[in-house]
Amino acid sequence: MKCVSCGAENSSDGLSFVCEYCVSIVWINSSNDGNNFLVNDSGGFSNERLGKRAKDKAEDILKVNLVSQSINDMDTLGMIGCITNKGGLYHPDISSFEKEKMEEVFQIELMEGTVNFGLPLVGAGIVANSNGAVCGRQSTGVELGRMEEALKLF
């Protein structure tokens, strides 16, 4: 059987297999891992409360440099926005300074917006990559258009 991520061979009998080189574990004593990071292929941010070992391990796994800081006074960075390699949608209360810093780190343009009928915690209502997105069913037509434009999905 081949790894579903990189194609490496294995003798697994399961329906799908991911090899040890494609999945890694970072032990963090706070929140879900997805809430502690906001990342694309150019760089990212990590929860400033993470220890140096956890941050270093995440950098090794993700192969990007991480900036340790909160954004909009929030440590749960995964809720702040939805970032791909093409664009990003972010919490409407982020300062212009923070937006500029995010654009510098991610090397993309960002747009502010909401999801699920006005929820500012964008990361709670949308999951995306550079090819498409899935969002909450309560998202309005205006929000869907904003997501499509910000993430450059058209």
Side-chain angles (χ1 to χ4, degrees), residues 1-145:
M1 176 169 257
K2 289 187 176 187
C3 171
V4 295
S5 184
C6 73
E9 292 287 339
N10 186 310
S11 61
S12 173
D13 295 331
L15 297 175
S16 66
F17 163 72
V18 179
C19 72
E20 65 183 278
Y21 302 107
C22 296
V23 176
S24 297
I25 297 172
V26 178
W27 296 103
I28 299 173
N29 291 329
S30 67
S31 195
N32 179 333
D33 284 352
N35 283 336
N36 286 300
F37 302 98
L38 190 57
V39 181
N40 72 2
D41 289 345
S42 298
F45 292 87
S46 65
N47 183 332
E48 64 187 351
R49 294 182 179 183
L50 291 182
K52 181 172 174 22
R53 258 179 72 202
K55 178 186 174 245
D56 291 346
K57 176 79 170 171
E59 286 180 324
D60 288 343
I61 293 167
L62 299 171
K63 296 178 179 33
V64 296
N65 291 323
L66 297 173
V67 177
S68 291
Q69 77 174 60
S70 64
I71 299 174
N72 196 36
D73 293 326
M74 292 181 66
D75 293 328
T76 52
L77 302 173
M79 303 296 261
I80 292 293
C82 179
I83 306 297
T84 70
N85 291 327
K86 292 181 178 180
L89 189 70
Y90 69 93
H91 191 292
D93 293 336
I94 289 176
S95 71
S96 58
F97 173 78
E98 289 172 318
K99 177 191 177 206
E100 289 172 13
K101 177 72 172 176
M102 290 170 66
E103 287 179 330
E104 177 187 321
V105 169
F106 296 127
Q107 298 177 11
I108 55 171
E109 291 181 24
L110 298 172
M111 293 177 69
E112 73 176 54
T114 59
V115 295
N116 282 340
F117 207 74
L119 181 68
L121 300 172
V122 175
I126 184 171
V127 176
N129 65 20
S130 296
N131 299 312
V134 177
C135 67
R137 66 181 176 167
Q138 291 183 352
S139 296
T140 67
V142 172
E143 288 173 330
L144 292 172

